């Protein structure tokens, strides 16, 4: 969760050698995704810093404003950006490093001049975007809340999130946040309706405001940035493979990582895996070694899920493949032989 952390550090720390800490944006439930879609109307939005950065990076802020009007924000969100910029401008990278966490691991990063300049540029860009696309809204709801409760919210959520939650409650605006825990707390404490990025992308796609190719590329970006559990389909995976030139390379490797995610439904993953392996195996110009490299990576992820019996998973996959390859049985048997060699189960 991003609560009481600095989202700017998490999003913009340049760590080529380390994975980005996951951003828990969504449960992965199709029911939750459907319920969120039902909330999308032509209503106003109040946005938190996590989603403001997300839409800025996706280059979709203008489209969000076009559909929902000027975005409501808290004054403390802008303050946070301006304070962070001032901190960056006073840093001597020779004597500065950051420590962030990813799971149980602490990640130490020495700050280079390149990384510092990158963060300064990004933060300035975010501040400019708030002036162009947002309106600072009053926090009238705070007048109705006991000071002890306000203090507790600030301790748990931080100032910016607390203000954003109160604005959403007081104005009736839809709260847009990519921090699932924050959305849950806002809904529980203030009965605020909330949403995150992916349902809005689906809405843009349904209204033909972005193309299917654009949608796939945005979803791939979210997955690469470790927004869990971002939903994707076979077309998104094929797009990732094409962008990777059908090699075991980014962004395909980021999609493959999802197949080892214990929070994702195994049947959904097997359905996508079946259709993807069909497309992979019938690829006429791809050499066998490239196919097997992708196959091995996919199978490794599927068989490492702690809650699933790997033999049952592979048997289910083989059964689905035989149905999918019904008109090409020799292709199915060739692929299944390779699966047996790779997994040795």
């Amino acid at each position: 969760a991003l609560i009481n952390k600095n989202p700017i550090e998490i999003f913009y720390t340049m760590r080529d050698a380390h994975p980005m800490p996951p951003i828990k944006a969504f449960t992965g439930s199709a029911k939750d995704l459907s319920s969120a879609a039902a909330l999308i109307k032509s209503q106003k939005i109040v946005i938190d810093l996590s989603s403001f950065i997300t839409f800025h990076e996706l280059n979709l802020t203008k489209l969000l404003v076009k559909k929902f009007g000027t975005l409501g924000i808290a004054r403390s969100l802008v303050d946070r950006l301006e304070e962070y910029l001032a901190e960056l401008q006073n840093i001597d990278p020779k004597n500065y490093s950051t420590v962030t966490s990813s799971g149980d691991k602490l990640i130490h990063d020495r700050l280079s001049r390149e990384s510092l300049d990158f963060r300064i540029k990004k933060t300035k860009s975010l501040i400019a975007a708030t002036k162009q696309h947002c309106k600072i809204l009053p926090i009238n709801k705070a007048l109705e809340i006991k000071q002890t409760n306000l203090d507790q919210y600030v301790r748990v959520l931080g100032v910016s999130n607390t203000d954003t939650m109160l604005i959403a409650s007081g104005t009736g605006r839809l709260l847009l946040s990519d921090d699932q825990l924050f959305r849950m707390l806002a809904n529980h404490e203030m009965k605020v309706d909330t949403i995150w990025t992916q349902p809005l992308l689906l809405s843009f796609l349904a209204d033909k405001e972005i193309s299917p190719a654009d949608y796939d590329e945005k979803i791939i970006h979210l997955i690469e940035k470790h927004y869990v559990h971002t939903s994707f389909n076979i077309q998104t995976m094929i797009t990732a493979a094409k962008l990777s030139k059908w090699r075991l390379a980014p962004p395909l490797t980021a999609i493959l990582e999802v197949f080892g995610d214990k929070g994702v439904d195994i049947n959904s993953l097997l359905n996508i895996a079946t259709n993807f392996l069909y497309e992979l195996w019938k690829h006429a110009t791809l050499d066998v070694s490239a196919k097997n490299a992708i196959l091995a990576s996919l199978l490794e992820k599927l068989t490492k899920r702690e809650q699933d019996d790997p033999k049952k998973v592979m048997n289910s996959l083989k059964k689905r493949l035989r149905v999918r390859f019904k008109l090409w049985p020799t292709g199915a048997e060739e692929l299944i032989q390779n699966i047996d060699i790779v997994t040795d189960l």
Side-chain angles (χ1 to χ4, degrees):
L2 300 174
I3 285 177
N4 251 337
K5 295 180 182 176
N6 187 340
I8 317 166
E9 283 283 348
I10 292 174
F11 282 81
Y12 291 139
T13 298
M14 297 176 71
R15 293 193 308 277
D16 295 333
H18 308 296
M20 182 175 177
I23 297 167
K24 188 67 178 293
F26 169 45
T27 62
S29 162
K31 181 180 178 181
D32 287 350
L33 197 58
S34 177
S35 298
L39 293 172
I40 301 175
K41 303 168 187 174
S42 297
Q43 59 178 304
K44 299 291 186 179
I45 278 178
V46 59
I47 190 168
D48 79 342
L49 188 52
S50 71
S51 284
F52 190 71
I53 295 173
T54 300
F55 274 84
H56 188 69
E57 288 301 295
L58 292 175
N59 197 27
L60 287 175
T61 308
K62 288 183 179 179
L63 181 55
L64 189 65
V65 172
K66 178 183 176 182
K67 186 157 187 171
F68 297 99
T70 303
L71 305 174
I73 57 170
R75 171 73 244 184
S76 52
L77 183 152
V78 180
D79 291 343
R80 193 172 191 185
L81 289 170
E82 292 176 342
E83 289 165 3
Y84 183 63
L85 177 61
E87 290 174 13
L88 292 174
Q89 292 173 329
N90 287 323
I91 285 175
D92 178 1
K94 294 179 182 178
N95 303 310
Y96 183 85
S97 64
T98 61
V99 179
T100 54
S101 62
S102 180
D104 296 329
K105 297 179 181 179
L106 290 179
I107 300 170
H108 296 262
D109 281 299
R110 182 67 61 182
L111 185 63
S112 67
R113 169 53 62 181
E114 178 190 10
S115 179
L116 178 60
D117 290 343
F118 173 81
R119 284 191 238 177
I120 289 173
K121 178 181 177 182
K122 286 291 187 180
T123 307
K124 285 181 176 179
S125 178
L126 287 167
I127 292 171
T130 64
K131 296 175 181 178
Q132 182 179 0
H133 301 298
C134 302
K135 179 181 179 180
I136 296 172
L137 299 178
I139 316 172
N140 297 328
K141 185 71 176 180
L143 301 174
E144 305 173 19
I145 310 294
K146 291 181 180 180
Q147 188 61 48
T148 52
N149 290 340
L150 287 175
D151 292 342
Q152 179 67 12
Y153 290 146
V154 170
R155 280 195 296 272
V156 174
L157 301 174
V159 175
S160 179
N161 278 349
T162 297
D163 291 348
T164 302
M165 175 181 72
L166 293 173
I167 290 170
S169 177
T171 62
R173 287 183 176 230
L174 188 62
L175 171 58
L176 172 54
S177 171
D178 279 280
D179 187 342
Q180 181 189 335
L181 181 56
F182 175 41
R183 294 199 312 272
M184 291 172 62
L185 289 171
N187 180 263
H188 180 268
E189 294 294 322
M190 295 286 169
K191 310 304 179 187
V192 171
D193 286 333
T194 67
I195 202 163
W196 67 103
T197 296
Q198 185 162 18
L200 291 170
L201 294 179
L202 286 166
S203 173
F204 295 159
L205 177 63
D207 293 340
K208 298 183 179 179
E209 291 163 317
I210 59 174
S211 69
D214 285 338
Y215 174 81
D216 286 336
E217 289 187 14
K218 305 303 184 189
I219 292 299
I220 290 168
H221 176 88
L222 294 179
I223 293 172
E224 285 191 295
K225 295 298 182 183
H226 292 202
Y227 284 64
V228 294
H229 302 279
T230 300
S231 297
F232 66 95
N233 56 26
I234 178 59
Q235 187 54 52
T236 305
M237 193 167 183
I238 289 173
T239 298
K242 289 178 179 178
L243 291 171
S244 306
K245 303 187 186 316
W246 289 92
R247 300 290 169 177
L248 189 60
L252 179 58
T253 47
I255 302 288
L256 290 171
E257 286 294 329
V258 180
F259 286 84
D261 189 339
K262 63 182 181 181
V264 183
D265 176 64
I266 186 61
N267 289 309
S268 298
L269 292 175
L270 287 173
N271 286 337
I272 295 173
T274 299
N275 286 302
F276 178 74
L277 289 174
Y278 178 79
E279 296 298 325
L280 175 69
W281 224 246
K282 76 173 187 179
H283 199 296
T285 60
L286 193 61
D287 59 84
V288 175
S289 62
K291 291 181 180 181
N292 283 334
I294 295 172
L295 172 66
S297 179
L298 175 60
L299 297 179
E300 178 193 12
K301 305 300 184 297
L302 283 173
T303 55
K304 296 298 183 183
R305 291 163 53 95
E306 296 176 358
Q307 73 274 38
D308 297 312
D309 183 324
K311 288 186 178 181
K312 289 182 179 179
V313 170
M314 287 301 99
N315 287 338
S316 180
L317 177 62
K318 293 173 189 177
K319 183 177 180 180
R320 293 165 195 247
L321 287 170
R322 288 190 173 97
V323 173
R324 184 67 181 87
F325 281 71
K326 185 176 180 180
L327 299 179
W328 185 24
T330 55
E333 293 311 311
E334 178 189 337
L335 173 54
I336 289 171
Q337 286 177 9
N338 282 34
I339 289 173
D340 290 337
I341 293 170
V342 171
T343 57
D344 192 29
L345 294 174

